[in-house]
Amino acid sequence: MSNRAIIVVDIQNEYFSTGKLPLEGIETAAKNAAKVIEQARSAKDLVVYVRHESADSDIPFFTPGTQGVAIHPIVAPLDSETVLLKHFPNSFLETGLKELLDRHDIEEVVVIGAMSHMCIDATSRAASDFGYKTTIVHDACATQDLEFDGMAVPASQVHAAMMAALAFAYGTVITTEQYIA
């Protein structure tokens, strides 16, 4: 096994068109994520899935026990791969992810999944803060339109701003094609 891990964050049914929180470009991002995962498996990298469930019953999505919280079939984990449950945007918070990575002597992490402005951002920053060499495969991530102070922000701009911020100080931001090459 290599010293690299792929962290597959929240590529769950809830984010697709049949879910309660569909993301812009999630289908393309998931297809790219599947390519990253396939490459990682052939390189004998550790592949770790992180799956979100809401711990707050007042939140109408990511409800435990529903189809929305299932990992989407396009990136289905193998039986031998670890799936961690999380309740916060940061995939390291109260999940055992850091302990798992350390147990496998991981030095480098590659982050893919959803949402760019929440869990990808929080997970990538935490990974960097923990000292892992961090790479984000940006076209294997997706997000949604946001609004701030009465201003509509399209998903493409949300994504670009998050990737620019991560590339500035937290990691390397590349495409699926660059990762596979």
Side-chain angles (χ1 to χ4, degrees):
M1 185 168 289
S2 78
N3 66 346
R4 181 174 46 217
I6 309 311
I7 304 174
V8 184
V9 181
D10 300 349
I11 303 181
Q12 295 169 251
N13 292 335
E14 202 76 284
Y15 284 138
F16 287 78
S17 61
T18 57
K20 295 179 184 172
L21 198 60
L23 301 183
E24 185 76 29
I26 187 63
E27 292 84 6
T28 299
K31 287 176 186 173
N32 286 333
K35 293 175 188 176
V36 170
I37 293 164
E38 184 177 324
Q39 174 71 23
R41 288 172 178 158
S42 66
K44 305 264 189 265
D45 294 340
L46 180 68
V47 180
V48 180
Y49 289 78
V50 183
R51 188 178 65 79
H52 190 87
E53 286 188 5
S54 178
D56 183 345
S57 61
D58 292 335
I59 296 176
F61 40 81
F62 289 105
T63 306
T66 66
Q67 270 302 104
V69 298
I71 294 171
H72 195 276
I74 195 168
V75 294
L78 301 176
D79 290 340
S80 60
E81 293 170 334
T82 300
V83 179
L84 300 172
L85 176 64
K86 72 177 181 62
H87 301 293
F88 303 99
N90 177 352
S91 296
F92 287 89
L93 186 58
E94 298 181 14
T95 63
L97 177 58
K98 182 173 186 329
E99 294 78 8
L100 175 69
L101 298 178
D102 291 349
R103 194 167 53 249
H104 288 276
D105 298 319
I106 299 300
E107 297 173 4
E108 177 184 356
V109 298
V110 177
V111 182
I112 57 176
M115 291 187 290
S116 303
H117 73 281
M118 289 293 292
C119 301
I120 298 304
D121 178 49
T123 299
S124 299
R125 289 174 189 250
S128 177
D129 288 345
F130 280 129
Y132 299 107
K133 179 182 176 193
T134 304
T135 300
I136 302 94
V137 182
H138 78 84
D139 60 355
C141 299
T143 196
Q144 64 181 16
D145 296 343
L146 294 178
E147 185 178 323
F148 177 74
D149 200 22
M151 180 186 331
V153 185
S156 61
Q157 291 178 9
V158 172
H159 183 76
M162 292 317 308
M163 294 303 126
L166 290 171
F168 184 78
Y170 288 96
T172 302
V173 178
I174 62 175
T175 65
T176 299
E177 187 175 301
Q178 290 170 317
Y179 173 78
I180 290 172

